[in-house]
Amino acid sequence: MSNISNYKDYLNSHKVRFLDELFELLRIPSVSADSKYKQDVQRAADFVKSKLEAAGVEKVEICETQKHPIVYGEKVVDTSLPTILVYGHYDVQPADPLELWESPPFEPTIRDNRIHARGSCDDKGQFYMHVKAFETLNACGSLPCNVKFMIEGEEEIGSANLASFVKENADKLASDIILISDTSMISMEHPSITAGLKGLCYMEVEVTGPKRDLHSGTYGGAVANPVNVLCDIIARLKDEHQRITIPGFYDKVVELSEDERKKIAEAPFNLEKYKEALDVEDVMGEAGYSTVERTGIRPTLDVNGIWGGYIGEGAKTVLPSKAYAKISMRLVPDQSSKEIEKLFTDYFISLAPKGVKVKVSPHHGGEPVVTPIDSLAFKAAEEAFLEGWGKKPIPTRDGGSIPIVALFDKVLKTKSILMGFGLDKDAIHSPNESYGIDNFYKGIETIILFHKHFARIMKK
Amino acid sequence: MSNISNYKDYLNSHKVRFLDELFELLRIPSVSADSKYKQDVQRAADFVKSKLEAAGVEKVEICETQKHPIVYGEKVVDTSLPTILVYGHYDVQPADPLELWESPPFEPTIRDNRIHARGSCDDKGQFYMHVKAFETLNACGSLPCNVKFMIEGEEEIGSANLASFVKENADKLASDIILISDTSMISMEHPSITAGLKGLCYMEVEVTGPKRDLHSGTYGGAVANPVNVLCDIIARLKDEHQRITIPGFYDKVVELSEDERKKIAEAPFNLEKYKEALDVEDVMGEAGYSTVERTGIRPTLDVNGIWGGYIGEGAKTVLPSKAYAKISMRLVPDQSSKEIEKLFTDYFISLAPKGVKVKVSPHHGGEPVVTPIDSLAFKAAEEAFLEGWGKKPIPTRDGGSIPIVALFDKVLKTKSILMGFGLDKDAIHSPNESYGIDNFYKGIETIILFHKHFARIMKK
């Protein structure tokens, strides 16, 4: 550990290159959800492999799956030292609606000291900090522990093939802690660590009325209109208190204690600023819970997309044959995505009138998870922030889903630390996604410090 | 009238050309709703002008409007003779969804002795019968009355510019009866004449939640999702009895007498065949009314199109910023489209929660109309069918809307006869629209006979 202080000089002398490399990665449209980007996803995997090798990671391999490959690599300096497994994903969300981007999603552009590009924060910008943190420690000859990398390409579509990979490679993936940067902090003034993630159950529904589009004058009011029916069913998925009406939906939801709710209420949150930032007159959610609770500890249901009938210019008097919707639910402990998938399907079908046929199919799911805040790893993270930011991170519950955290827990029997450096304004999954350049550099430094403190604490 | 019998020989010797000409017209994609077809709409107008002139119509002119032109022409043989004003439209509905067409919508194809093409029945195939009926009578030197043609290009988008044209040219358009073929018959075995048409109120709504697309995990359940809200509002536009809940919506609806309802029930209708043809297990509509009543005499509300959020392949966990729908209502006497427009707008806005902004804008409207079945013109129509089909036509109420019929009534103080030769299976406004070749030829003949009997009856 003699020369770990050198890392600052190294960072300074290479920071421009670090950013150039990230830009190169951001230019690859590795959209995992859309098959027309398959080649680009592959290119992104190749890029990750080459950069891991350049950083000094060993045994780097591209592990093919049934869809998009997983990039694995490791450097074991001393088997007696603790081991960190870094997880991240090089795939990104679709970029549309494209017309809302101020600069092209796959041409990274710097504005207000922020990198604007799809994936800049989620998760290319964040996992790449780990690659550069490793390079720095390795180059300075001060790597204090063993490090393994597992960077996948299917996180945005549910990590369908990661489970089997993890099961088959459990020994290779063995570690003392899994380190993930794929979440956000409250603010630069209030660094935080995500201690809880929601699960996900993502469904697609198709409602078919008459077998062909009809003239809305000749048939309107006499046969079921699939769009009206779909709207009716979706409306009935929540009651007037915005509670989800699916029978059994809340059965396994862990209700938090008053104490826990008090702690959550202590996290800095300004409702007026929140509404202002979204340009909404008021918030809307489950009665009896605060906004922070609704996003953090309560399960939710949202329509992510809906379409049917004539959506072109002007007016067409058609009674459509079909209507579709993508509907997802965010789950909390101890809900199970498989159970909710069945409850949703049964209920949705039960709400359909005789005049229509409905098809309900799952896209992907993931389990909710809560990470311990009393572990040695969390202690190391606190120390890292204390040294790098001058304050301890606040543990928070995030509404996002990283299904694989629960998977690691189950299969690898290893806990994760969600050390994310994103900010709310990064607008992940939205047009004009961005990531602060300071977050990128400060993240690299904090990750380096985590390695240092984790190795120290584990040695004791 | 000496040689009106010649018309049969003339029809026989020119029937192939008649069909060729119609095909030429059907090849022009004159979609009035979509501005990218503006040139084609103009081409269709030019085509109509040239064919009217070729048929012997005089003073043919293309009358420009603020959008698509109206083609007018006339032949006044003797001012002491009765005058027929023929109305029709050369514009067509959009053809999408294109993938459902068995042959390209604008490449007319004959299958099962039927012409398959967009507009084959609605209304190119039908108004063109009048052009050919005129040509025949004129060529045979047996035109028994004066004839005027007014063929417009905006019927499918609400005839926005026809009203002012009719007002400004009331004298020129003066006639004893307006003859329109833009409706359908019950069947070839049961020829019928439409004695009532619905009005139309076509609205577009836009619901805006947060000002940008959001991550459904980070914000889901905490802010209003515009798609969920839109579905909720649409669902609330009807109650569990499928009655429209807009306050005041039914106030001006003329309730039919038991006798009138009995007459309607006498019209041949087979519910099983109806359901089978649409491949629906059951029909669905306003409680307390039959299917024929729901389509014929009751006002209705249908979503014609809906869209919002991610509608691409795969799954995107987005909480969309906006959701849209096209919603139209079919009106019956004595509802007013303007009044309903206001009632709908006020009610829709009143249903929106504080968390969203809504925009409601009208596309176009038209008034419901009932045509007399005791007039001399209707008598002439009965005679024409009696001679041409061997039976009298059944008067029916149609769910479709031809807004201009009410306009003619009001401005020109002239009644219309809706002598349509379409059939239900023509699938107008749908993929694979078609029109029977027999209907086309039989229609021409029946129109010729109408001229004959109308002139005779009016002479008395």
Side-chain angles (χ1 to χ4, degrees), chain A residues 25 76 93 115 166 242 250 262 266 295 305 324 327 335 376 401 430 439 446:
Chain A
L25 175 57
V76 178
Q93 280 274 317
I115 308 154
V166 170
Q242 293 296 305
Y250 291 98
K262 268 209 205 70
E266 285 164 9
T295 54
Y324 307 82
I327 304 171
Q335 291 178 298
L376 291 178
S401 304
S430 303
N439 300 67
T446 312

Side-chain angles (χ1 to χ4, degrees), chain A residues 300-368:
Chain A
T300 61
L301 181 150
D302 275 283
V303 179
N304 305 104
I306 190 167
W307 66 105
Y310 182 66
I311 63 180
E313 186 188 343
K316 187 182 179 197
T317 50
V318 63
L319 192 165
S321 169
K322 288 175 178 289
Y324 307 82
K326 296 174 192 277
I327 304 171
S328 66
M329 290 150 282
R330 299 283 175 168
L331 313 178
V332 302
D334 295 323
Q335 291 178 298
S336 138
S337 65
K338 277 284 160 227
E339 279 171 29
I340 295 299
E341 183 181 308
K342 177 154 192 347
L343 293 177
F344 176 92
T345 304
D346 296 346
Y347 186 55
F348 194 93
I349 291 168
S350 76
L351 293 179
K354 263 175 88 186
V356 301
K357 303 175 187 68
V358 300
K359 215 160 57 181
V360 182
S361 40
H363 267 295
H364 62 265
E367 306 314 319

Side-chain angles (χ1 to χ4, degrees), chain B residues 55 61 241 333 417 437:
Chain B
E61 51 183 325
H241 307 297
I417 287 275
I437 292 178

Side-chain angles (χ1 to χ4, degrees), chain B residues 24-300:
Chain B
E24 208 180 321
L25 175 58
L26 290 171
R27 287 192 193 95
I28 306 172
S30 48
V31 179
S32 51
D34 192 338
S35 51
K36 76 169 181 283
Y37 293 105
K38 191 158 186 12
Q39 292 313 314
D40 300 301
V41 175
Q42 181 67 49
R43 270 172 55 221
D46 297 339
F47 178 93
V48 174
K49 176 173 187 286
S50 68
K51 293 305 176 191
L52 283 174
E53 285 167 337
V57 181
E58 295 160 358
K59 303 183 186 165
V60 184
E61 51 183 325
I62 289 188
C63 314
E64 294 303 333
T65 74
Q66 282 177 30
K67 193 153 194 182
H68 302 310
I70 295 159
V71 185
Y72 177 83
E74 61 179 47
K75 176 145 189 186
V76 177
V77 283
D78 178 345
T79 52
S80 70
L81 289 174
T83 301
I84 295 172
L85 171 61
V86 174
Y87 164 85
H89 64 92
Y90 61 82
D91 65 319
V92 298
Q93 280 276 316
D96 61 287
L98 288 170
E99 64 276 15
L100 297 184
W101 285 79
E102 288 166 29
S103 53
F106 298 108
E107 287 174 27
T109 312
I110 293 179
R111 289 192 300 276
D112 321 325
N113 203 38
R114 307 179 58 73
I115 308 155
H116 291 77
R118 167 60 83 229
S120 56
C121 171
D122 178 15
D123 180 46
K124 287 173 174 176
Q126 291 218 64
F127 91 75
Y128 205 66
M129 298 183 303
H130 291 267
V131 183
K132 296 299 103 179
F134 176 90
E135 174 192 320
T136 304
L137 284 166
N138 194 53
C140 299
S142 51
L143 189 65
C145 53
N146 308 314
V147 182
K148 297 174 175 176
F149 286 89
M150 174 170 59
I151 314 299
E152 73 154 318
E154 297 183 353
E155 198 276 338
E156 299 295 2
I157 53 172
S159 306
N161 295 300
L162 191 70
S164 54
F165 177 82
V166 169
K167 289 194 189 84
E168 288 157 19
N169 299 278
D171 298 341
K172 186 159 82 176
L173 298 170
S175 71
D176 298 286
I177 189 68
I178 298 162
L179 189 58
I180 304 172
S181 296
D182 194 18
T183 49
S184 60
M185 312 185 300
I186 295 169
S187 71
M188 296 301 268
E189 298 67 42
H190 301 94
S192 57
I193 286 183
T194 303
L197 285 166
K198 284 184 177 174
L200 179 68
C201 178
Y202 198 115
M203 311 294 291
E204 183 152 335
V205 297
E206 174 188 325
V207 179
T208 306
K211 71 177 177 185
R212 60 175 170 89
D213 285 3
L214 301 175
H215 185 292
S216 67
T218 317
Y219 291 92
V223 297
N225 178 324
V227 181
N228 289 80
V229 168
L230 176 58
C231 290
D232 194 43
I233 296 177
I234 288 171
R236 290 164 70 181
L237 295 177
K238 293 188 191 183
D239 66 15
E240 68 275 29
H241 307 297
Q242 293 295 307
R243 269 182 74 86
I244 293 152
T245 54
I246 300 168
F249 184 82
Y250 290 97
D251 286 1
K252 298 206 172 164
V253 171
V254 175
E255 297 290 340
L256 268 66
S257 69
E258 278 314 311
D259 268 18
E260 291 172 296
R261 293 183 67 176
K262 266 209 204 68
K263 267 211 195 62
I264 289 169
E266 285 164 9
F269 176 76
N270 182 318
L271 185 59
E272 288 315 308
K273 280 216 180 78
Y274 184 84
K275 290 191 288 186
E276 197 184 312
L278 301 175
D279 187 27
V280 293
E281 198 185 329
D282 201 358
V283 292
M284 186 171 165
E286 186 184 2
Y289 294 90
S290 71
T291 294
V292 177
E293 289 174 330
R294 287 164 176 171
T295 55
I297 62 168
R298 299 298 297 172
T300 61

